[in-house]
Amino acid sequence: MEKEHYQVVAYIALRNKDGSLMVNVPLYVKVSEVNKNGMTDAQESVMHRISEIMIKRNEKQLSEYFASLKEKSCK
């Protein structure tokens, strides 16, 4: 039986009902044929694009979170 390979592509931040952050959960994608980086060239290209999108989204969420903290501390 062939060993299965998985690649982390992003982390999703779960939130409490009040909007505060709980924990980051990793997202994995199963990869079949592996190169030196553990995936096919096409999969690696997709992973880079997905990672770029998720990093931008995470940066936005963090900025909003810190802005809300700053706003709360000014009140």
Side-chain angles (χ1 to χ4, degrees):
M1 182 172 194
E2 198 173 307
K3 183 178 177 183
E4 293 180 340
H5 299 277
Y6 294 87
Q7 175 69 38
V8 176
V9 294
Y11 289 88
I12 298 296
L14 298 178
R15 294 183 180 266
N16 291 308
K17 289 182 180 183
D18 66 359
S20 61
L21 296 176
M22 282 183 9
V23 65
N24 285 334
V25 177
L27 296 179
Y28 294 90
V29 172
K30 185 177 177 181
V31 294
S32 51
E33 301 171 25
V34 295
N35 61 18
K36 65 178 182 166
N37 295 324
M39 62 189 100
T40 66
D41 292 339
Q43 289 168 326
E44 189 168 8
S45 175
V46 170
M47 293 306 122
H48 286 290
R49 290 193 318 244
I50 291 170
S51 297
E52 183 179 330
I53 291 166
M54 295 306 295
I55 288 168
K56 287 178 183 177
R57 180 175 166 83
N58 197 15
E59 286 174 345
K60 181 180 180 225
Q61 287 178 334
L62 286 172
S63 295
E64 291 170 355
Y65 174 71
F66 289 122
S68 73
L69 286 179
K70 185 176 179 181
E71 193 174 293
K72 287 178 184 176
S73 69
C74 292
K75 292 180 179 182

